[in-house]
Amino acid sequence: GYRLDDLELRIADSSVSAALQVARGGPRLRVSGKAASPLIDLAHLASGSGSATAPAAVRTSGSPRPVDYWKLADVDIQLNIGRLVLPDGRQVQSGSGRLALDNGRLKATGLQATLGGANVKLDGSVADPQKIAGLDLRIAVQGSELAQLFKFFGTSIAPVGPYQGRAQLHGAL
């Protein structure tokens, strides 16, 4: 296998540092390690792409089907992200936790982030991320003002004060 130590990547204001190991582990490559970033600004990257639309993907007989992309490699990464700016400008603060992809199954362990003023914790798995099927997730959310969380998702409500909740989500969309 290979080790990639002291990786430092910078694109505009975004930066990532990582230490990764890549090994052949069965039918797929296995990538594991740690990655950290003080800022990943997807809005800045998206705005630099111009107004031209990307051409539609053309599938040739040798190219993998879309679901195959989830099975290109098995991944196990410990993440720590200070701030993630989404393409539409919304921000996720202090994201951390472990993400794993094993034979196309996505698993989150101790995933935590702050969004819309809410502290969100997520553990569990998605058996088929392509179809958002096979959900087995435990979610906890807590914040000081529910209206902030609704605003993050594009809906306005009158202030109602502090909130907390938790749920287990099973099934498919």
Side-chain angles (χ1 to χ4, degrees):
Y2 299 96
R3 283 181 42 153
L4 184 59
D5 293 318
D6 302 321
L7 171 67
E8 296 289 335
L9 178 63
R10 181 179 274 298
I11 301 174
D13 292 334
S14 300
S15 65
V16 175
S17 60
L20 304 171
Q21 297 80 42
V22 180
R24 175 71 63 193
R28 288 171 296 284
L29 287 178
R30 176 146 183 82
V31 180
S32 60
K34 295 180 180 183
S37 174
L39 170 66
I40 297 176
D41 188 347
L42 301 176
H44 180 79
L45 295 173
S47 69
S49 65
S51 61
T53 58
V58 176
R59 184 170 142 31
T60 62
S61 61
S63 65
R65 293 184 222 28
V67 73
D68 291 343
Y69 290 114
W70 290 98
K71 295 184 178 186
L72 286 176
D74 290 337
V75 178
D76 189 347
I77 301 288
Q78 182 69 36
L79 295 171
N80 190 344
I81 300 172
R83 185 167 54 116
L84 172 64
V85 181
L86 301 173
D88 62 6
R90 293 178 299 158
Q91 296 187 21
V92 177
Q93 306 285 332
S94 305
S96 65
R98 182 173 157 220
L99 286 176
L101 187 60
D102 184 11
N103 192 25
R105 180 182 191 91
L106 183 62
K107 183 176 181 185
T109 305
L111 201 58
Q112 301 180 59
T114 302
L115 53 98
N119 296 318
V120 179
K121 296 181 181 181
L122 177 75
D123 283 286
S125 63
V126 180
D128 186 349
Q130 180 73 23
K131 296 179 183 171
I132 310 178
L135 302 176
D136 183 12
L137 301 171
R138 288 164 306 290
I139 303 165
V141 61
Q142 178 180 356
S144 60
E145 177 50 64
L146 186 59
Q148 287 180 304
L149 182 61
F150 271 73
K151 183 178 178 184
F152 181 85
F153 290 106
T155 301
S156 294
I157 66 168
V160 294
Y163 62 95
Q164 68 179 31
R166 74 178 79 181
Q168 291 187 7
L169 178 61
H170 305 278
L173 293 177

